Amino acid sequence: MSAEVEETLKRIQSHKGVVGVIVVNAEGIPIKSTLDNPTTIQYTGLISGLTDKARSVVRDLDPTNDLTFLRVRSKKHEIMIAPDKEYMLIVVQNTNE
Amino acid sequence: MDRLRLDSPDRRTAWKEEKERKLAKLKQLRAERENRRRKQLEKEAQEAAVRASSVPRDDQDLDKMLSSLGVAPVSEVLSSMSSMSSEPGGDHSGSPDKSLEANSTASPRTPSKKQPQLSVVSVQATNIPPRETVTYAKGVQTSGSGDGHGYYEDWWRPRKAEEEDNSLTMLDTPPIYGGGHNRHLPPGILPTGMPTVQDVKPALATEAEKKVEEEKPQPPRELSDEEKQMLMMTEEFHSFFDRSTRILERALAEDANIFVDYSHDYEEDGEANESGGIKLSLNRWFYDERWSRNRCITCMDWSPQYPELLVASYNNNEDSPHDPDGVALVWNTKFKKDTPEYIFHCQSPVMSATFARFHPNLIIGGTYSGQIVLWDNRSQKRTPVQRSPLSASAHTHPVYCMKVVGTQNAHNLISVSTDGKMCSWSLDMLSQPQESMELQHKQSRAVAVTCMAFPHGDVNNFIVGSEEGAVFTACRHGSKAGIVDAYEGHQGPVTGISTHSTPGPIDFSHLFLTSSIDWTVKLWSVKETKPLYSFEDNGDYVYEVAWSPIHPALFTTVDGSGRIDLWNLNQDTEVPTASTVVEGSPALNRVSWTNSGQQITVGDDMGKIWIYDVGEQLALPRADDWARLVHTMGELKNNQADDDQSTRHYDSSFSSLTSLSSSPLR
């Protein structure tokens, strides 16, 4: 079972332009990451806060609604965040090949 | 005993003497004891006298009995008790003793009762509650990571779902402390905006920040590697991972460049303009390294409910005998993700596959062994959930043709195998066919069916192509059940049939096309046993032909040299309007149009599915195409008539070409 997980992570990592993949749990602790530790900690801390804020925005506007996907596009990178109840998957991809 | 006595007279005498001595001693002791007792009695005669007199006669008898045994009389016991009690002078024995005394004084009045009277004493009970010690524990103020009700902790974080209701009540009842129920305002500040005077006010801001900062860097260091591994093994993690990676892979694959600037200088990339004009261009391909490598594609079908889903069935992989022989993959053309949506396999090579038209979750496969297998994408299994038996009542030869015909409530799966047997199945029960029929032609000769097609809207009549090169129409029910007509024309096995099903003002459903190993594609009408026209442009076996679903005069063919041809009958009947060779020139086994009619999917023998875009001018019909097709058909007929006449003089297809060229189609 964990081999499938590894394989899928490797596949995503080897996708065109992908810089890194991070799996974070609900408390903001990185479970798995393909980036180095300080970068991971930095991303995790910042993105957790951002996701919480985004989620609160969505829920404030409509309490029955919930955040399903978050994409932050910048000049150099695109950060794709798939949040869940317990965990969160973060993928960073380069734009402009 | 007698012997002893007899044996040792000395011993006897010694024993006797000793006994006498002991008896004497005992007597002495008794005498002394009795003397002592008497002395004691005399001493406390007064005290005892009262009691002794009070003691009833029964007791005196008792005393005698007891004294004979060596037990002091009852009165003495009592006196001894009182003497004992008087010396220490404890409270406990005082009260029972007094009560005893009282009883004993009272008892002469009731001599019958020897036992002491028991009276109920009211006991006064006082209840002292324990002392409440008020302690301040740190846990009250700041909670752990889960609770979140702490005053300072992460006041900006949204609460969990159960506490959502609080956000609405905050307007009615302003909280005692501003932190717990409120999500956006800092602690100490009411939603109305007025800061309240709190006890701990001065140290608020800095403390909160400090605490927040303290807690922030702490979490990332909490989990060890083992804990992470454990977490990754849980079921929850796997379901989350499966969901999220599916979405993410689609998101990754869609690299829709939303920042495209169309107003930039076009001269730099002049090629971009022509992309609209290209007739046939490669869009993408589907290939799975694990499951489709080195396997020939045997069939393709589109889902009626989700037009973007394509099922492709694969033959076996000769290089890997341990892999399952039959594979069916469901591909999604909507997203750029290039892994299959669903993977199914079974033990026998799958020769044909189709979506169950009225059951969106079911995929049916016809195998080389003659079994019909059913896969369900709701189950987690990749193997079939249902299988038809390998029996003489079902098929025993490879099933190359399958189709679901009928309506929602009354539908059947029709399957034909290469031994000429046609079975009609109900999808609920694959254990035996509902009905079966042998397709026989002339003198009970079974037809080896390689391909089958139903004319548009027809559930009773169908067309089959055989290995001998003949095409037959057949009927399922009715008086003429079985083979009806034979259409001779091909010189080799028929590989594909396509019936005209394009909706339009004029009905051409009597037309059908066939492709064959004899390098030709022929156009027929069901009304005539001779072909209307023969397309002879190919240089290799033509493996399949398909009408366009939207254009009445457009069809595509694929052959063994990797060539895809697009023919437009209204433009030219001699050469294809567009043609391309697939990269690597693999033999192309199957071709199919997407429902939109703007893309062609081609399956080759190495396991790849190629998707080509058809240029819009070519793919989209114009309003007059139907009328033009009628005209074309008329001309073809005329040419054929001329052809027939000319063949009397010289027999070759060359003449048909010359006659055609002499009379232009337009």
Side-chain angles (χ1 to χ4, degrees):
Chain A
M1 288 260 261
S2 66
E4 238 183 69
V5 168
E6 295 291 331
E7 193 196 306
T8 312
L9 276 175
K10 213 190 296 180
R11 200 172 59 226
I12 298 180
Q13 174 67 25
S14 61
H15 206 279
K16 188 170 68 169
V18 169
V19 173
V21 183
I22 308 171
V23 178
V24 190
N25 79 343
E27 293 151 24
I29 306 169
I31 306 283
K32 192 105 178 95
S33 171
T34 61
L35 301 166
D36 53 29
N37 204 24
T39 319
T40 305
I41 304 283
Q42 195 181 24
Y43 266 104
T44 314
L46 296 166
I47 290 178
S48 298
L50 179 67
T51 316
D52 288 338
K53 187 69 180 165
R55 188 188 274 120
S56 74
V57 165
V58 169
R59 294 202 80 137
D60 278 355
L61 290 171
D62 179 8
T64 62
N65 205 355
D66 195 10
L67 183 69
T68 54
F69 198 76
L70 190 58
R71 262 179 127 149
V72 181
R73 198 148 172 155
S74 69
K75 280 191 207 160
K76 295 184 192 167
H77 304 297
E78 177 166 11
I79 307 172
M80 284 174 270
I81 303 154
D84 202 80
K85 277 200 195 67
E86 282 290 319
Y87 302 95
M88 185 158 47
L89 185 64
I90 303 170
V91 174
V92 182
Q93 189 190 25
N94 274 328
T95 53
N96 305 344
E97 282 96 40
Chain B
M1 296 298 261
D2 290 328
R3 284 181 201 166
L4 276 167
R5 286 181 196 162
L6 285 169
D7 286 343
S8 56
D10 290 304
R11 276 191 197 164
R12 225 180 97 210
T13 49
W15 187 70
K16 259 191 181 174
E17 284 171 33
E18 284 220 13
K19 195 180 151 190
E20 282 165 11
R21 269 180 243 151
K22 280 179 185 172
L23 277 168
K25 274 186 184 175
L26 275 168
K27 281 179 188 169
Q28 277 183 351
L29 281 167
R30 273 187 199 158
E32 283 170 14
R33 221 187 293 158
E34 284 192 16
N35 286 333
R36 269 185 239 147
R37 274 188 222 157
R38 280 170 204 156
K39 282 175 188 173
Q40 275 188 352
L41 273 168
E42 284 167 6
K43 275 181 187 176
E44 293 157 46
Q46 283 184 355
E47 287 176 45
V50 180
R51 282 184 215 131
S53 62
S54 68
V55 169
R57 287 180 187 177
D58 292 342
D59 273 350
Q60 282 176 352
D61 291 335
L62 240 181
D63 282 346
K64 282 178 189 171
M65 282 163 60
L66 286 169
S67 59
S68 66
L69 290 170
V71 177
V74 175
S75 54
E76 280 195 354
V77 170
L78 287 169
S79 62
S80 63
M81 269 176 69
S82 61
S83 61
M84 273 165 54
S85 59
S86 56
E87 286 160 15
D91 289 338
H92 311 285
S93 47
S95 40
D97 206 48
K98 281 174 190 169
S99 63
L100 268 172
E101 281 180 357
N103 282 338
S104 54
T105 50
S107 55
R109 295 169 199 170
T110 58
S112 60
K113 286 238 168 171
K114 61 173 177 181
Q115 285 170 0
Q117 272 185 341
L118 296 173
S119 62
V120 176
V121 178
S122 63
V123 177
Q124 281 180 351
T126 53
N127 198 8
I128 305 167
R131 273 186 75 185
E132 272 188 288
T133 54
V134 178
T135 56
Y136 282 101
K138 201 157 187 237
V140 172
Q141 283 188 348
T142 59
S143 56
S145 51
D147 264 7
H149 260 305
Y151 185 26
Y152 299 121
E153 197 214 37
D154 298 340
W155 48 268
W156 68 88
R157 278 231 181 118
R159 299 295 171 210
K160 287 186 189 168
E162 309 92 62
E163 299 157 76
E164 281 305 303
D165 300 326
N166 293 339
S167 62
L168 296 171
T169 59
M170 72 181 177
L171 296 167
D172 302 329
T173 57
I176 299 163
Y177 54 95
H181 301 279
N182 208 320
R183 266 194 264 126
H184 305 289
L185 302 179
I189 298 186
L190 286 179
T192 52
M194 301 278 289
T196 59
V197 179
Q198 302 286 337
D199 290 335
V200 208
K201 196 92 196 280
L204 237 181
T206 49
E207 258 192 58
E209 280 172 346
K210 275 183 198 166
K211 280 191 180 173
V212 155
E213 275 165 0
E214 277 168 8
E215 287 165 359
K216 254 193 200 166
Q218 276 168 17
R221 290 171 211 152
E222 274 179 29
L223 288 188
S224 69
D225 276 336
E226 288 155 358
E227 283 178 310
K228 287 181 191 174
Q229 285 296 319
M230 285 302 298
L231 263 178
M232 282 173 59
M233 297 285 198
T234 60
E235 190 60 45
E236 266 178 9
F237 184 85
H238 280 285
S239 64
F240 143 77
F241 198 77
D242 182 58
R243 269 199 312 271
S244 320
T245 49
R246 200 182 279 260
I247 297 172
L248 247 153
E249 282 199 273
R250 289 180 191 162
L252 270 176
E254 306 290 321
D255 48 8
N257 192 6
I258 56 176
F259 300 105
V260 161
D261 181 14
Y262 290 110
S263 57
H264 77 280
D265 208 347
Y266 260 127
E267 282 162 9
E268 294 159 22
D269 35 277
E271 300 162 9
N273 275 337
E274 291 177 17
S275 60
I278 289 177
K279 293 174 179 179
L280 204 58
S281 60
L282 175 65
N283 186 328
R284 65 186 299 186
W285 64 83
F286 285 127
Y287 180 74
D288 187 68
E289 187 59 43
R290 165 86 176 84
W291 289 106
S292 65
R293 195 157 64 96
N294 208 22
R295 292 173 189 259
C296 182
I297 293 176
T298 50
C299 193
M300 290 189 293
D301 187 38
W302 294 91
S303 165
Q305 285 87 10
Y306 299 105
E308 66 267 18
L309 289 183
L310 166 74
V311 67
S313 59
Y314 297 80
N315 206 348
N316 63 337
N317 185 348
E318 283 115 12
D319 292 342
S320 53
H322 297 292
D323 276 348
D325 278 347
V327 167
L329 304 178
V330 177
W331 298 93
N332 193 332
T333 56
K334 190 150 87 165
F335 302 115
K336 298 212 170 93
K337 185 173 102 132
D338 56 3
T339 47
E341 283 284 329
Y342 296 104
I343 300 171
F344 299 114
H345 50 73
C346 70
Q347 285 312 309
S348 171
V350 185
M351 294 286 123
S352 57
T354 178
F355 277 97
R357 245 168 77 199
F358 304 105
H359 300 270
N361 298 102
L362 302 181
I363 292 156
I364 315 163
T367 63
Y368 194 79
S369 60
Q371 272 186 322
I372 312 284
V373 292
L374 193 72
W375 288 286
D376 192 332
N377 69 1
R378 288 168 293 198
S379 77
Q380 301 301 318
K381 306 199 312 177
R382 288 177 172 185
T383 48
V385 293
Q386 253 200 86
R387 251 174 280 224
S388 75
L390 280 169
S391 78
S393 61
H395 295 288
T396 50
H397 275 66
V399 177
Y400 278 103
C401 336
M402 275 198 319
K403 193 145 166 68
V404 177
V405 296
T407 58
Q408 171 77 41
N409 296 320
H411 57 271
N412 284 317
L413 170 71
I414 311 290
S415 60
V416 189
S417 57
T418 51
D419 59 352
K421 188 155 187 191
M422 186 202 80
C423 289
S424 161
W425 306 80
S426 158
L427 285 173
D428 305 323
M429 194 181 70
L430 283 182
S431 56
Q432 60 172 28
Q434 274 187 348
E435 60 163 324
S436 64
M437 193 166 73
E438 291 281 341
L439 295 172
Q440 290 168 346
H441 172 68
K442 284 186 192 173
Q443 300 108 29
S444 321
R445 223 178 49 187
V447 173
V449 174
T450 53
C451 46
M452 174 184 79
F454 277 80
H456 185 64
D458 203 334
V459 294
N460 202 13
N461 305 301
F462 57 97
I463 310 167
V464 290
S466 70
E467 277 180 2
E468 292 105 21
V471 181
F472 303 95
T473 51
C475 205
R476 274 175 67 201
H477 310 288
S479 55
K480 291 195 290 179
I483 301 280
V484 175
D485 279 324
Y487 300 78
E488 309 275 349
H490 278 295
Q491 278 127 25
V494 179
T495 53
I497 303 183
S498 177
T499 51
H500 197 282
S501 53
T502 313
I506 304 165
D507 180 38
F508 290 103
S509 54
H510 59 97
L511 294 178
F512 65 94
L513 285 161
T514 57
S515 61
S516 161
I517 303 269
D518 67 354
W519 298 15
T520 64
V521 175
K522 293 196 197 302
L523 174 67
W524 311 72
S525 166
V526 287
K527 303 166 195 165
E528 294 183 42
T529 57
K530 288 271 179 260
L532 296 177
Y533 191 71
S534 176
F535 303 88
E536 316 236 339
D537 192 63
N538 290 83
D540 204 333
Y541 304 159
V542 185
Y543 278 108
E544 194 160 13
V545 63
W547 281 107
S548 160
I550 54 173
H551 198 302
L554 191 66
F555 67 90
T556 177
T557 63
V558 286
D559 71 358
S561 63
R563 218 174 89 179
I564 310 173
D565 293 325
L566 265 177
W567 296 77
N568 187 332
L569 289 175
N570 290 341
Q571 280 186 358
D572 198 342
T573 57
E574 290 195 31
V575 286
T577 317
S579 175
T580 181
V581 179
V582 168
E583 192 185 315
S585 302
L588 302 173
N589 199 25
R590 288 295 209 171
V591 71
S592 160
W593 287 86
T594 58
N595 287 329
S596 65
Q598 302 210 353
Q599 284 181 322
I600 300 176
T601 53
V602 178
D604 70 3
D605 67 340
M606 293 307 290
K608 252 192 187 163
I609 301 177
W610 307 83
I611 302 197
Y612 279 84
D613 289 328
V614 182
E616 279 190 5
Q617 312 99 300
L618 197 53
L620 296 178
R622 288 195 292 265
D624 62 342
D625 269 322
W626 278 262
R628 282 170 65 194
L629 186 59
V630 175
H631 185 72
T632 312
M633 300 305 303
E635 286 188 354
L636 284 176
K637 213 183 248 183
N638 294 337
N639 294 334
Q640 202 181 39
D642 293 342
D643 205 35
D644 286 341
Q645 283 178 1
S646 56
T647 48
R648 282 170 207 158
H649 303 293
Y650 46 93
D651 182 66
S652 66
S653 56
F654 181 68
S655 63
S656 65
L657 286 172
T658 53
S659 58
L660 273 173
S661 59
S662 61
S663 52
L665 290 171
R666 284 191 163 256

